[in-house]
């Protein structure tokens, strides 16, 4: 039996890679302009990092981690990259630099989830983290980096949803109200929600189970518990964020039920959604996580960040055309063809030839599919020391010397 890629993983094939390279290039440009530096952390980390960092009441840690033991050490393929970035931030003393420290990353993440459209077990994220700024300007900058990146990809019409989860103080009362509102139909909820009810009731609002969602509607859960009653500090922060977003002309919708699936968020949370992605419609999720650096052993450091799903982004942008090669060398003299090929590449052109010395017609047919120009080296060309250049877009031919050839416009 032939071996296939594991369930929930996908090969990214050469005809798809242009889109990926385009997305990464735009990310690099947009983030560099904003002084955000790239960081690459390991794909696996100590399991403990995610248990402490992501939180042991989350689905990610409870059900979705790829964990393995090597020499008595428990390691886990990263399910997300914020914890890894915070670990690196502390390990390399970034916390001693003058804030803000602004970092971005790209790469594969691993979660043992049920594969479906827009949901894989190995998927890719691009993310931004910003450390050291308490003011809501950092939240606004983060959201702006996401919308600028999306704009750079031609995506202007995605919906930014924001909410504030407050702090431990203002969340406490909300949790109690939420529990009271849920109690009458708790028995009908999924097992996950039942355990969330005690450990982290807020996350019940993020449940994707249909039965649960129907019950929320039946019992008017959203009306029963309107948003969190924010304390002064949290509400000032939230108002400030909104005024920054208004000033920056970033459109947003307030969604008082936006909670996010991770435990570490405080104050601001946000998601960016598309109406054309079906049920897995969130492209980007993020928020403020002022407690995480401390949880992972550092001093209290305010921080805010987000992650975007590259597969979902890719589904929204049009196919980026692959560039054609500059030259295809057509000849029945393999040696001369090879010599020219090397010279062309040395001069910065992309060039290819036919390795099997097939008939000229066959070579030209291939050339017209993959290159802009064919360079023909036949008997007469060799004898009289010139090349015939065929412009494959309009089939016009010209004689050129090598010097003229390398002056051609790409
Ligand atoms: P979702 O609610 O869709 O499960 P999430 O809240 O788990 O998302 P985050 O952990 O915040 O998502 O990740 C940010 C983004 O990464 C998501 O908005 C989504 O675009 C993408 N993403 C998350 N999980 C997957 C997955 N299994 N496959 C593909 N993309 C994913
Ligand atoms: Mg998820």
């Amino acid at each position: 039996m032939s071996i296939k890629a594991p369930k929930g993983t996908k090969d990214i094939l050469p005809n798809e890679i242009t889109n990926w390279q385009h997305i990464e290039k735009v990310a690099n440009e947009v983030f560099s302009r904003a002084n955000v530096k790239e960081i690459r952390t390991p794909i696996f980390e100590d399991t403990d990092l995610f248990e402490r960092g992501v939180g042991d009441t989350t689905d990610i840690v409870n059900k979705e981690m790829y964990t393995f033991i090597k020499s008595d050490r428990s390691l886990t393929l990263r399910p997300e990259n914020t914890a890894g970035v915070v670990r690196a931030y502390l390990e390399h003393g970034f916390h001693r630099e003058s804030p803000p420290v602004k970092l971005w990353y790209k790469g594969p993440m691993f979660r043992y989830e049920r594969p479906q459209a827009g949901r894989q077990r190995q998927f890719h994220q691009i993310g931004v983290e910003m450390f050291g700024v308490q003011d809501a300007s950092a939240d606004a900058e983060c959201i702006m980096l996401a919308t600028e990146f999306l704009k750079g990809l031609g995506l202007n019409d995605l919906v930014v949803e924001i909410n504030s989860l407050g702090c431990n103080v203002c969340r406490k009362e909300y949790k109690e109200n939420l529990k009271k509102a849920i109690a009458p139909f708790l028995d009908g909820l999924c097992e996950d929600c039942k355990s969330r009810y005690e450990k982290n009731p807020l996350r019940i609002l993020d449940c994707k189970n249909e039965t649960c969602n129907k019950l929320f509607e039946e019992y008017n859960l959203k009306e029963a518990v309107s948003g969190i009653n924010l304390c002064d500090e949290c509400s000032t922060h939230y108002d400030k964020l909104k005024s920054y977003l208004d000033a920056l002309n970033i459109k947003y919708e307030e969604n008082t039920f936006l909670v996010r699936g991770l435990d570490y968020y405080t104050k601001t949370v946000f998601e960016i959604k598309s109406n054309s992605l079906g049920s897995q419609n969130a492209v980007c999720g993020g928020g403020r996580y002022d407690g995480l650096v401390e949880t992972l052993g550092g001093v209290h450091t305010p921080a805010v960040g987000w992650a975007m799903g590259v597969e979902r982004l890719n589904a929204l942008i049009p196919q980026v055309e692959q560039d054609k090669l500059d030259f295809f060398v057509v000849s029945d003299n393999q040696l001369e063809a090879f010599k020219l090929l090397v010279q062309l590449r040395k001069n910065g052109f992309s060039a290819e030839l036919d390795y099997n010395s097939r008939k000229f017609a066959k070579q030209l047919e291939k050339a017209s599919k993959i290159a802009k120009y064919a360079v023909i080296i036949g008997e007469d060309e060799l004898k009289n020391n010139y090349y015939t250049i065929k412009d494959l877009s309009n089939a016009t031919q010209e004689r050129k010397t090598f010097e003229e050839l390398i002056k051609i416009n790409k």
Side-chain angles (χ1 to χ4, degrees), residues 258-308:
L258 182 64
V259 287
R260 312 275 313 118
L262 312 177
D263 277 355
Y264 49 60
Y265 291 112
T266 48
K267 295 193 173 115
T268 312
V269 287
F270 59 92
E271 264 182 13
I272 303 181
K273 292 179 179 165
S274 155
N275 294 323
S276 54
L277 274 180
S279 54
Q280 313 310 326
N281 63 352
V283 183
C284 174
R288 180 167 274 281
Y289 52 92
D290 290 343
L292 184 60
V293 176
E294 211 171 344
T295 304
L296 294 177
V299 295
H300 177 79
T301 307
V304 50
W306 53 257
M308 257 189 226

Side-chain angles (χ1 to χ4, degrees), residues 151-407:
K151 265 195 230 161
L153 293 169
L155 302 170
N156 300 304
D157 55 351
L158 302 185
V159 183
V160 181
E161 288 189 357
I162 61 168
N163 189 24
S164 175
L165 295 181
C167 58
N168 284 338
V169 180
C170 36
R171 224 181 298 185
K172 202 163 171 239
E173 182 195 279
Y174 184 70
K175 278 187 187 167
E176 289 312 314
N177 291 344
L178 191 60
K179 281 171 83 171
K180 267 189 218 139
I182 290 169
F185 58 92
L186 180 63
D187 282 349
L189 295 180
C190 70
E191 288 310 308
D192 288 338
C193 279
K194 282 184 190 141
S195 79
R196 286 171 189 144
Y197 186 80
E198 289 307 331
K199 290 187 195 149
N200 195 348
L202 234 61
R203 298 254 334 291
I204 292 180
L205 296 172
D206 195 38
C207 186
K208 303 214 166 50
N209 183 303
E210 263 184 47
T211 320
C212 294
N213 278 289
K214 276 194 191 128
L215 282 169
F216 299 162
E217 274 182 34
E218 202 178 306
Y219 283 82
N220 276 329
L221 182 63
K222 297 208 167 176
E223 270 115 81
V225 281
S226 55
I228 295 180
N229 198 2
L230 297 175
C231 69
D232 284 352
E233 189 201 319
C234 290
S235 107
T236 309
H237 185 93
Y238 192 41
D239 288 343
K240 244 182 158 182
L241 167 65
K242 287 185 278 187
S243 65
Y244 282 126
L245 293 177
D246 290 336
L248 295 168
N249 230 343
I250 296 174
K251 287 200 198 68
Y252 57 86
E253 287 174 12
E254 288 181 68
N255 174 359
T256 48
F257 297 95
L258 182 64
V259 287
R260 312 275 313 118
L262 312 177
D263 277 355
Y264 49 60
Y265 291 112
T266 48
K267 295 193 173 115
T268 312
V269 287
F270 59 92
E271 264 182 13
I272 303 181
K273 292 179 179 165
S274 155
N275 294 323
S276 54
L277 274 180
S279 54
Q280 313 310 326
N281 63 352
V283 183
C284 174
R288 180 167 274 281
Y289 52 92
D290 290 343
L292 184 60
V293 176
E294 211 171 344
T295 304
L296 294 177
V299 295
H300 177 79
T301 307
V304 50
W306 53 257
M308 257 189 226
V310 184
E311 280 78 4
R312 293 188 199 173
L313 263 188
N314 206 358
L316 293 173
I317 64 169
Q319 172 80 38
V320 177
E321 288 305 320
Q322 196 135 23
D323 280 345
K324 284 196 162 175
L325 293 171
D326 298 318
F327 293 109
F328 192 98
V329 183
V330 173
S331 179
D332 55 2
N333 186 324
Q334 196 76 313
L335 190 63
E336 288 302 323
F338 231 132
K339 274 162 53 188
L340 177 64
L341 180 89
V342 172
Q343 285 308 317
L344 287 170
R345 288 181 185 166
K346 254 194 198 159
N347 281 278
F349 294 98
S350 53
E352 181 57 304
L353 54 66
D354 185 78
Y355 294 88
N356 294 316
S357 292
R358 290 176 299 175
K359 296 219 164 60
F360 270 43
K362 278 266 172 243
Q363 293 191 32
L364 278 165
E365 193 184 311
K366 170 103 191 245
S368 63
K369 283 193 191 127
I370 65 169
K372 295 178 208 158
Y373 297 96
V375 190
I376 301 164
I377 318 177
E379 266 176 46
D380 194 61
E381 281 86 352
L382 273 179
K383 209 159 74 197
N384 296 306
N385 213 8
Y386 70 93
Y387 299 104
T388 300
I389 311 303
K390 184 171 181 179
D391 182 336
L392 296 163
S393 66
N394 57 19
T396 53
Q397 288 194 182
E398 269 184 289
R399 286 177 168 212
K400 282 192 194 295
T401 62
F402 181 74
E403 264 55 48
E404 288 165 343
L405 183 56
I406 57 173
K407 285 200 190 93

Side-chain angles (χ1 to χ4, degrees), residues 60 64 111 113 119 208:
I60 292 183
E64 298 174 359
R111 296 183 194 175
E113 300 197 73
R119 200 173 284 291
K208 303 214 166 50

